[in-house]
mmCIF file of all heavy atoms in Angstrom:
data_model
loop_
_atom_site.group_PDB
_atom_site.id
_atom_site.type_symbol
_atom_site.label_atom_id
_atom_site.label_comp_id
_atom_site.label_asym_id
_atom_site.label_seq_id
_atom_site.Cartn_x
_atom_site.Cartn_y
_atom_site.Cartn_z
ATOM 1 N N ASN A 27 -7.767 -4.903 -2.777
ATOM 2 C CA ASN A 27 -7.743 -3.845 -1.797
ATOM 3 C C ASN A 27 -8.299 -4.394 -0.496
ATOM 4 O O ASN A 27 -9.466 -4.823 -0.443
ATOM 5 C CB ASN A 27 -8.592 -2.662 -2.274
ATOM 6 C CG ASN A 27 -8.515 -1.483 -1.324
ATOM 7 O OD1 ASN A 27 -7.987 -1.557 -0.246
ATOM 8 N ND2 ASN A 27 -9.057 -0.345 -1.788
ATOM 9 N N ILE A 28 -7.497 -4.416 0.560
ATOM 10 C CA ILE A 28 -7.973 -5.007 1.843
ATOM 11 C C ILE A 28 -8.785 -3.999 2.651
ATOM 12 O O ILE A 28 -9.298 -4.325 3.720
ATOM 13 C CB ILE A 28 -6.809 -5.527 2.690
ATOM 14 C CG1 ILE A 28 -5.882 -4.378 3.112
ATOM 15 C CG2 ILE A 28 -6.049 -6.596 1.914
ATOM 16 C CD1 ILE A 28 -4.838 -4.788 4.140
ATOM 17 N N GLU A 29 -8.881 -2.731 2.208
ATOM 18 C CA GLU A 29 -9.658 -1.706 2.915
ATOM 19 C C GLU A 29 -9.304 -1.675 4.396
ATOM 20 O O GLU A 29 -10.129 -1.890 5.264
ATOM 21 C CB GLU A 29 -11.171 -1.925 2.716
ATOM 22 C CG GLU A 29 -11.585 -1.943 1.267
ATOM 23 C CD GLU A 29 -13.074 -2.241 1.138
ATOM 24 O OE1 GLU A 29 -13.893 -1.412 1.617
ATOM 25 O OE2 GLU A 29 -13.407 -3.290 0.556
ATOM 26 N N ARG A 30 -8.087 -1.341 4.664
ATOM 27 C CA ARG A 30 -7.521 -1.439 6.009
ATOM 28 C C ARG A 30 -8.290 -0.577 7.023
ATOM 29 O O ARG A 30 -8.430 -0.966 8.183
ATOM 30 C CB ARG A 30 -6.066 -0.993 5.961
ATOM 31 C CG ARG A 30 -5.325 -1.169 7.274
ATOM 32 C CD ARG A 30 -3.835 -0.977 7.015
ATOM 33 N NE ARG A 30 -3.012 -1.170 8.196
ATOM 34 C CZ ARG A 30 -1.717 -1.278 8.184
ATOM 35 N NH1 ARG A 30 -1.057 -1.208 7.021
ATOM 36 N NH2 ARG A 30 -1.025 -1.466 9.293
ATOM 37 N N ASP A 31 -8.787 0.540 6.632
ATOM 38 C CA ASP A 31 -9.491 1.451 7.547
ATOM 39 C C ASP A 31 -10.794 0.866 8.050
ATOM 40 O O ASP A 31 -11.331 1.333 9.059
ATOM 41 C CB ASP A 31 -9.750 2.804 6.871
ATOM 42 C CG ASP A 31 -8.489 3.579 6.619
ATOM 43 O OD1 ASP A 31 -7.488 3.288 7.316
ATOM 44 O OD2 ASP A 31 -8.472 4.475 5.757
ATOM 45 N N SER A 32 -11.312 -0.160 7.366
ATOM 46 C CA SER A 32 -12.566 -0.766 7.809
ATOM 47 C C SER A 32 -12.364 -1.960 8.728
ATOM 48 O O SER A 32 -13.334 -2.583 9.162
ATOM 49 C CB SER A 32 -13.388 -1.218 6.584
ATOM 50 O OG SER A 32 -12.718 -2.253 5.893
ATOM 51 N N TYR A 33 -11.110 -2.265 9.103
ATOM 52 C CA TYR A 33 -10.850 -3.363 10.018
ATOM 53 C C TYR A 33 -11.378 -3.007 11.422
ATOM 54 O O TYR A 33 -11.299 -1.876 11.868
ATOM 55 C CB TYR A 33 -9.346 -3.633 10.114
ATOM 56 C CG TYR A 33 -8.823 -4.574 9.045
ATOM 57 C CD1 TYR A 33 -9.075 -4.351 7.710
ATOM 58 C CD2 TYR A 33 -8.065 -5.678 9.366
ATOM 59 C CE1 TYR A 33 -8.613 -5.208 6.728
ATOM 60 C CE2 TYR A 33 -7.567 -6.539 8.417
ATOM 61 C CZ TYR A 33 -7.856 -6.297 7.079
ATOM 62 O OH TYR A 33 -7.365 -7.148 6.126
ATOM 63 N N LEU A 34 -11.912 -4.017 12.089
ATOM 64 C CA LEU A 34 -12.327 -3.872 13.456
ATOM 65 C C LEU A 34 -11.174 -4.208 14.378
ATOM 66 O O LEU A 34 -10.477 -5.206 14.183
ATOM 67 C CB LEU A 34 -13.518 -4.822 13.750
ATOM 68 C CG LEU A 34 -14.780 -4.569 12.935
ATOM 69 C CD1 LEU A 34 -15.853 -5.623 13.299
ATOM 70 C CD2 LEU A 34 -15.345 -3.160 13.202
ATOM 71 N N ALA A 35 -10.983 -3.387 15.405
ATOM 72 C CA ALA A 35 -9.908 -3.647 16.371
ATOM 73 C C ALA A 35 -10.195 -4.920 17.147
ATOM 74 O O ALA A 35 -11.290 -5.113 17.643
ATOM 75 C CB ALA A 35 -9.748 -2.453 17.287
ATOM 76 N N THR A 36 -9.210 -5.790 17.239
ATOM 77 C CA THR A 36 -9.367 -7.043 17.989
ATOM 78 C C THR A 36 -8.038 -7.479 18.584
ATOM 79 O O THR A 36 -6.976 -7.244 17.974
ATOM 80 C CB THR A 36 -9.909 -8.180 17.069
ATOM 81 O OG1 THR A 36 -9.948 -9.390 17.812
ATOM 82 C CG2 THR A 36 -9.068 -8.351 15.827
ATOM 83 N N ASN A 37 -8.113 -8.076 19.725
ATOM 84 C CA ASN A 37 -6.900 -8.586 20.380
ATOM 85 C C ASN A 37 -6.633 -10.057 20.053
ATOM 86 O O ASN A 37 -5.606 -10.603 20.428
ATOM 87 C CB ASN A 37 -7.013 -8.425 21.904
ATOM 88 C CG ASN A 37 -7.007 -6.963 22.298
ATOM 89 O OD1 ASN A 37 -6.362 -6.130 21.688
ATOM 90 N ND2 ASN A 37 -7.748 -6.647 23.357
ATOM 91 N N ILE A 38 -7.595 -10.691 19.397
ATOM 92 C CA ILE A 38 -7.437 -12.096 19.058
ATOM 93 C C ILE A 38 -6.368 -12.282 18.011
ATOM 94 O O ILE A 38 -5.467 -13.126 18.134
ATOM 95 C CB ILE A 38 -8.764 -12.706 18.580
ATOM 96 C CG1 ILE A 38 -9.821 -12.571 19.686
ATOM 97 C CG2 ILE A 38 -8.581 -14.160 18.191
ATOM 98 C CD1 ILE A 38 -11.225 -12.957 19.249
ATOM 99 N N ARG A 39 -6.430 -11.534 16.927
ATOM 100 C CA ARG A 39 -5.452 -11.609 15.832
ATOM 101 C C ARG A 39 -5.238 -10.189 15.310
ATOM 102 O O ARG A 39 -5.805 -9.778 14.325
ATOM 103 C CB ARG A 39 -6.000 -12.521 14.737
ATOM 104 C CG ARG A 39 -4.984 -12.933 13.711
ATOM 105 C CD ARG A 39 -3.891 -13.802 14.302
ATOM 106 N NE ARG A 39 -4.400 -15.075 14.786
ATOM 107 C CZ ARG A 39 -4.553 -16.163 14.075
ATOM 108 N NH1 ARG A 39 -4.243 -16.140 12.799
ATOM 109 N NH2 ARG A 39 -5.015 -17.268 14.623
ATOM 110 N N PRO A 40 -4.395 -9.392 16.027
ATOM 111 C CA PRO A 40 -4.216 -7.976 15.651
ATOM 112 C C PRO A 40 -3.312 -7.824 14.446
ATOM 113 O O PRO A 40 -2.206 -7.257 14.531
ATOM 114 C CB PRO A 40 -3.623 -7.384 16.896
ATOM 115 C CG PRO A 40 -2.867 -8.519 17.533
ATOM 116 C CD PRO A 40 -3.634 -9.754 17.212
ATOM 117 N N THR A 41 -3.737 -8.294 13.280
ATOM 118 C CA THR A 41 -2.939 -8.209 12.062
ATOM 119 C C THR A 41 -3.815 -7.725 10.918
ATOM 120 O O THR A 41 -5.051 -7.743 11.003
ATOM 121 C CB THR A 41 -2.386 -9.587 11.675
ATOM 122 O OG1 THR A 41 -3.446 -10.514 11.504
ATOM 123 C CG2 THR A 41 -1.438 -10.096 12.777
ATOM 124 N N VAL A 42 -3.176 -7.305 9.830
ATOM 125 C CA VAL A 42 -3.884 -6.940 8.611
ATOM 126 C C VAL A 42 -3.288 -7.707 7.447
ATOM 127 O O VAL A 42 -2.128 -8.109 7.494
ATOM 128 C CB VAL A 42 -3.804 -5.409 8.333
ATOM 129 C CG1 VAL A 42 -4.536 -4.632 9.427
ATOM 130 C CG2 VAL A 42 -2.385 -4.959 8.220
ATOM 131 N N GLY A 43 -4.066 -7.902 6.409
ATOM 132 C CA GLY A 43 -3.604 -8.636 5.242
ATOM 133 C C GLY A 43 -4.590 -9.730 4.879
ATOM 134 O O GLY A 43 -5.766 -9.698 5.284
ATOM 135 N N LEU A 44 -4.139 -10.669 4.097
ATOM 136 C CA LEU A 44 -4.981 -11.770 3.644
ATOM 137 C C LEU A 44 -4.310 -13.083 4.076
ATOM 138 O O LEU A 44 -3.111 -13.185 4.175
ATOM 139 C CB LEU A 44 -5.135 -11.782 2.125
ATOM 140 C CG LEU A 44 -5.846 -10.608 1.478
ATOM 141 C CD1 LEU A 44 -5.843 -10.777 -0.029
ATOM 142 C CD2 LEU A 44 -7.270 -10.497 1.979
ATOM 143 N N ALA A 45 -5.154 -14.084 4.302
ATOM 144 C CA ALA A 45 -4.660 -15.463 4.559
ATOM 145 C C ALA A 45 -5.087 -16.296 3.357
ATOM 146 O O ALA A 45 -6.244 -16.241 2.923
ATOM 147 C CB ALA A 45 -5.247 -16.022 5.831
ATOM 148 N N ILE A 46 -4.146 -17.031 2.780
ATOM 149 C CA ILE A 46 -4.445 -17.869 1.625
ATOM 150 C C ILE A 46 -4.041 -19.304 1.925
ATOM 151 O O ILE A 46 -3.149 -19.568 2.752
ATOM 152 C CB ILE A 46 -3.730 -17.388 0.345
ATOM 153 C CG1 ILE A 46 -2.200 -17.507 0.522
ATOM 154 C CG2 ILE A 46 -4.128 -15.961 0.018
ATOM 155 C CD1 ILE A 46 -1.431 -17.291 -0.788
ATOM 156 N N ILE A 47 -4.683 -20.235 1.269
ATOM 157 C CA ILE A 47 -4.317 -21.644 1.362
ATOM 158 C C ILE A 47 -4.546 -22.317 0.018
ATOM 159 O O ILE A 47 -5.584 -22.054 -0.652
ATOM 160 C CB ILE A 47 -5.112 -22.360 2.487
ATOM 161 C CG1 ILE A 47 -4.655 -23.787 2.683
ATOM 162 C CG2 ILE A 47 -6.604 -22.331 2.191
ATOM 163 C CD1 ILE A 47 -5.218 -24.460 3.926
ATOM 164 N N ILE A 48 -3.599 -23.099 -0.446
ATOM 165 C CA ILE A 48 -3.708 -23.849 -1.707
ATOM 166 C C ILE A 48 -4.168 -25.258 -1.325
ATOM 167 O O ILE A 48 -3.518 -25.954 -0.549
ATOM 168 C CB ILE A 48 -2.364 -23.927 -2.455
ATOM 169 C CG1 ILE A 48 -1.752 -22.515 -2.580
ATOM 170 C CG2 ILE A 48 -2.553 -24.558 -3.808
ATOM 171 C CD1 ILE A 48 -2.585 -21.538 -3.343
ATOM 172 N N HIS A 49 -5.286 -25.678 -1.866
ATOM 173 C CA HIS A 49 -5.828 -26.985 -1.457
ATOM 174 C C HIS A 49 -6.515 -27.652 -2.648
ATOM 175 O O HIS A 49 -6.891 -26.998 -3.646
ATOM 176 C CB HIS A 49 -6.848 -26.805 -0.323
ATOM 177 C CG HIS A 49 -8.034 -25.998 -0.686
ATOM 178 N ND1 HIS A 49 -9.221 -26.531 -1.084
ATOM 179 C CD2 HIS A 49 -8.228 -24.635 -0.713
ATOM 180 C CE1 HIS A 49 -10.107 -25.573 -1.350
ATOM 181 N NE2 HIS A 49 -9.530 -24.411 -1.121
ATOM 182 N N ASP A 50 -6.685 -28.954 -2.550
ATOM 183 C CA ASP A 50 -7.431 -29.693 -3.545
ATOM 184 C C ASP A 50 -8.876 -29.330 -3.526
ATOM 185 O O ASP A 50 -9.416 -28.925 -2.472
ATOM 186 C CB ASP A 50 -7.255 -31.207 -3.283
ATOM 187 C CG ASP A 50 -7.865 -32.067 -4.354
ATOM 188 O OD1 ASP A 50 -7.421 -31.985 -5.515
ATOM 189 O OD2 ASP A 50 -8.789 -32.823 -4.043
ATOM 190 N N GLN A 51 -9.552 -29.429 -4.660
ATOM 191 C CA GLN A 51 -10.954 -28.990 -4.701
ATOM 192 C C GLN A 51 -11.874 -29.868 -3.860
ATOM 193 O O GLN A 51 -12.957 -29.445 -3.506
ATOM 194 C CB GLN A 51 -11.432 -29.017 -6.172
ATOM 195 C CG GLN A 51 -10.812 -27.892 -7.004
ATOM 196 C CD GLN A 51 -10.944 -28.111 -8.480
ATOM 197 O OE1 GLN A 51 -10.905 -29.235 -8.961
ATOM 198 N NE2 GLN A 51 -11.115 -27.043 -9.239
ATOM 199 N N LYS A 52 -11.409 -31.072 -3.502
ATOM 200 C CA LYS A 52 -12.206 -31.950 -2.632
ATOM 201 C C LYS A 52 -11.757 -31.879 -1.176
ATOM 202 O O LYS A 52 -12.240 -32.675 -0.359
ATOM 203 C CB LYS A 52 -12.170 -33.382 -3.175
ATOM 204 C CG LYS A 52 -12.833 -33.546 -4.528
ATOM 205 C CD LYS A 52 -12.847 -34.975 -4.970
ATOM 206 C CE LYS A 52 -13.535 -35.135 -6.330
ATOM 207 N NZ LYS A 52 -13.541 -36.558 -6.781
ATOM 208 N N SER A 53 -10.869 -31.004 -0.846
ATOM 209 C CA SER A 53 -10.412 -30.840 0.537
ATOM 210 C C SER A 53 -10.908 -29.507 1.082
ATOM 211 O O SER A 53 -10.848 -28.468 0.411
ATOM 212 C CB SER A 53 -8.876 -30.878 0.605
ATOM 213 O OG SER A 53 -8.391 -32.099 0.147
ATOM 214 N N PHE A 54 -11.394 -29.537 2.314
ATOM 215 C CA PHE A 54 -11.900 -28.299 2.908
ATOM 216 C C PHE A 54 -10.753 -27.356 3.263
ATOM 217 O O PHE A 54 -9.732 -27.808 3.782
ATOM 218 C CB PHE A 54 -12.721 -28.631 4.176
ATOM 219 C CG PHE A 54 -13.411 -27.430 4.769
ATOM 220 C CD1 PHE A 54 -14.639 -27.019 4.265
ATOM 221 C CD2 PHE A 54 -12.846 -26.736 5.816
ATOM 222 C CE1 PHE A 54 -15.268 -25.924 4.786
ATOM 223 C CE2 PHE A 54 -13.488 -25.634 6.373
ATOM 224 C CZ PHE A 54 -14.694 -25.250 5.861
ATOM 225 N N PRO A 55 -10.898 -26.047 2.981
ATOM 226 C CA PRO A 55 -9.817 -25.093 3.309
ATOM 227 C C PRO A 55 -9.865 -24.674 4.752
ATOM 228 O O PRO A 55 -10.693 -23.833 5.135
ATOM 229 C CB PRO A 55 -10.122 -23.923 2.375
ATOM 230 C CG PRO A 55 -11.620 -23.970 2.151
ATOM 231 C CD PRO A 55 -12.002 -25.425 2.203
ATOM 232 N N PHE A 56 -9.007 -25.205 5.580
ATOM 233 C CA PHE A 56 -8.958 -24.859 7.010
ATOM 234 C C PHE A 56 -8.103 -23.588 7.171
ATOM 235 O O PHE A 56 -6.944 -23.637 7.569
ATOM 236 C CB PHE A 56 -8.412 -26.012 7.818
ATOM 237 C CG PHE A 56 -9.306 -27.209 7.848
ATOM 238 C CD1 PHE A 56 -8.962 -28.363 7.138
ATOM 239 C CD2 PHE A 56 -10.509 -27.203 8.527
ATOM 240 C CE1 PHE A 56 -9.786 -29.478 7.154
ATOM 241 C CE2 PHE A 56 -11.338 -28.296 8.536
ATOM 242 C CZ PHE A 56 -10.992 -29.440 7.850
ATOM 243 N N MET A 57 -8.723 -22.451 6.860
ATOM 244 C CA MET A 57 -8.005 -21.185 6.894
ATOM 245 C C MET A 57 -7.509 -20.849 8.287
ATOM 246 O O MET A 57 -6.399 -20.353 8.465
ATOM 247 C CB MET A 57 -8.927 -20.064 6.394
ATOM 248 C CG MET A 57 -9.344 -20.182 4.945
ATOM 249 S SD MET A 57 -7.949 -20.073 3.797
ATOM 250 C CE MET A 57 -7.296 -18.482 4.243
ATOM 251 N N ASP A 58 -8.328 -21.108 9.314
ATOM 252 C CA ASP A 58 -7.970 -20.718 10.664
ATOM 253 C C ASP A 58 -6.682 -21.369 11.120
ATOM 254 O O ASP A 58 -5.887 -20.777 11.880
ATOM 255 C CB ASP A 58 -9.082 -21.106 11.656
ATOM 256 C CG ASP A 58 -10.390 -20.358 11.342
ATOM 257 O OD1 ASP A 58 -10.448 -19.722 10.296
ATOM 258 O OD2 ASP A 58 -11.310 -20.455 12.162
ATOM 259 N N ASP A 59 -6.437 -22.606 10.679
ATOM 260 C CA ASP A 59 -5.303 -23.364 11.166
ATOM 261 C C ASP A 59 -4.098 -23.372 10.223
ATOM 262 O O ASP A 59 -2.944 -23.417 10.687
ATOM 263 C CB ASP A 59 -5.717 -24.819 11.382
ATOM 264 C CG ASP A 59 -6.791 -24.949 12.487
ATOM 265 O OD1 ASP A 59 -6.409 -25.012 13.642
ATOM 266 O OD2 ASP A 59 -7.980 -24.979 12.136
ATOM 267 N N PHE A 60 -4.333 -23.320 8.913
ATOM 268 C CA PHE A 60 -3.233 -23.553 7.971
ATOM 269 C C PHE A 60 -3.080 -22.460 6.922
ATOM 270 O O PHE A 60 -2.291 -22.612 5.990
ATOM 271 C CB PHE A 60 -3.431 -24.892 7.279
ATOM 272 C CG PHE A 60 -3.601 -26.050 8.238
ATOM 273 C CD1 PHE A 60 -4.872 -26.609 8.438
ATOM 274 C CD2 PHE A 60 -2.538 -26.535 8.960
ATOM 275 C CE1 PHE A 60 -5.047 -27.643 9.322
ATOM 276 C CE2 PHE A 60 -2.713 -27.581 9.860
ATOM 277 C CZ PHE A 60 -3.968 -28.139 10.039
ATOM 278 N N GLY A 61 -3.795 -21.334 7.058
ATOM 279 C CA GLY A 61 -3.668 -20.253 6.093
ATOM 280 C C GLY A 61 -2.333 -19.539 6.224
ATOM 281 O O GLY A 61 -1.766 -19.383 7.298
ATOM 282 N N THR A 62 -1.794 -19.094 5.078
ATOM 283 C CA THR A 62 -0.531 -18.343 5.028
ATOM 284 C C THR A 62 -0.846 -16.863 4.791
ATOM 285 O O THR A 62 -1.617 -16.535 3.900
ATOM 286 C CB THR A 62 0.386 -18.849 3.883
ATOM 287 O OG1 THR A 62 0.663 -20.242 4.106
ATOM 288 C CG2 THR A 62 1.697 -18.090 3.851
ATOM 289 N N THR A 63 -0.256 -16.010 5.604
ATOM 290 C CA THR A 63 -0.603 -14.565 5.554
ATOM 291 C C THR A 63 0.170 -13.851 4.443
ATOM 292 O O THR A 63 1.354 -14.071 4.253
ATOM 293 C CB THR A 63 -0.298 -13.903 6.912
ATOM 294 O OG1 THR A 63 -1.021 -14.584 7.928
ATOM 295 C CG2 THR A 63 -0.706 -12.437 6.898
ATOM 296 N N VAL A 64 -0.548 -12.993 3.728
ATOM 297 C CA VAL A 64 0.020 -12.131 2.703
ATOM 298 C C VAL A 64 -0.204 -10.696 3.122
ATOM 299 O O VAL A 64 -1.317 -10.287 3.423
ATOM 300 C CB VAL A 64 -0.646 -12.381 1.332
ATOM 301 C CG1 VAL A 64 -0.080 -11.459 0.277
ATOM 302 C CG2 VAL A 64 -0.476 -13.858 0.916
ATOM 303 N N GLN A 65 0.866 -9.892 3.143
ATOM 304 C CA GLN A 65 0.770 -8.517 3.640
ATOM 305 C C GLN A 65 0.561 -7.538 2.514
ATOM 306 O O GLN A 65 0.923 -7.779 1.369
ATOM 307 C CB GLN A 65 2.030 -8.158 4.427
ATOM 308 C CG GLN A 65 3.258 -8.022 3.547
ATOM 309 C CD GLN A 65 4.502 -7.740 4.364
ATOM 310 O OE1 GLN A 65 5.133 -8.635 4.898
ATOM 311 N NE2 GLN A 65 4.815 -6.467 4.469
ATOM 312 N N PRO A 66 -0.074 -6.381 2.817
ATOM 313 C CA PRO A 66 -0.266 -5.320 1.802
ATOM 314 C C PRO A 66 1.021 -4.578 1.456
ATOM 315 O O PRO A 66 2.010 -4.643 2.229
ATOM 316 C CB PRO A 66 -1.262 -4.380 2.460
ATOM 317 C CG PRO A 66 -1.055 -4.571 3.941
ATOM 318 C CD PRO A 66 -0.680 -6.012 4.120
ATOM 319 N N GLY A 67 1.015 -3.907 0.333
ATOM 320 C CA GLY A 67 2.179 -3.172 -0.126
ATOM 321 C C GLY A 67 3.258 -4.038 -0.732
ATOM 322 O O GLY A 67 4.364 -3.555 -1.025
#
């Protein structure tokens, strides 16, 4: 549950959902740059 009503309004990234990244356990997850967005519903 992404609890959409609790999102803060922002102009930087006006989206809702989750960002995921598949990575090796010894690699840092650079979510900001390489995350893939998953939408609700």
Side-chain angles (χ1 to χ4, degrees):
N27 185 350
I28 65 170
E29 301 177 64
R30 186 168 183 169
D31 291 339
S32 65
Y33 274 52
L34 298 177
T36 175
N37 292 327
I38 300 173
R39 193 65 64 88
T41 59
V42 296
L44 296 178
I46 65 169
I47 186 170
I48 309 299
H49 63 96
D50 186 61
Q51 289 163 325
K52 294 183 179 180
S53 298
F54 186 82
F56 293 108
M57 296 295 303
D58 298 9
D59 296 275
F60 306 105
T62 301
T63 303
V64 177
Q65 70 183 83

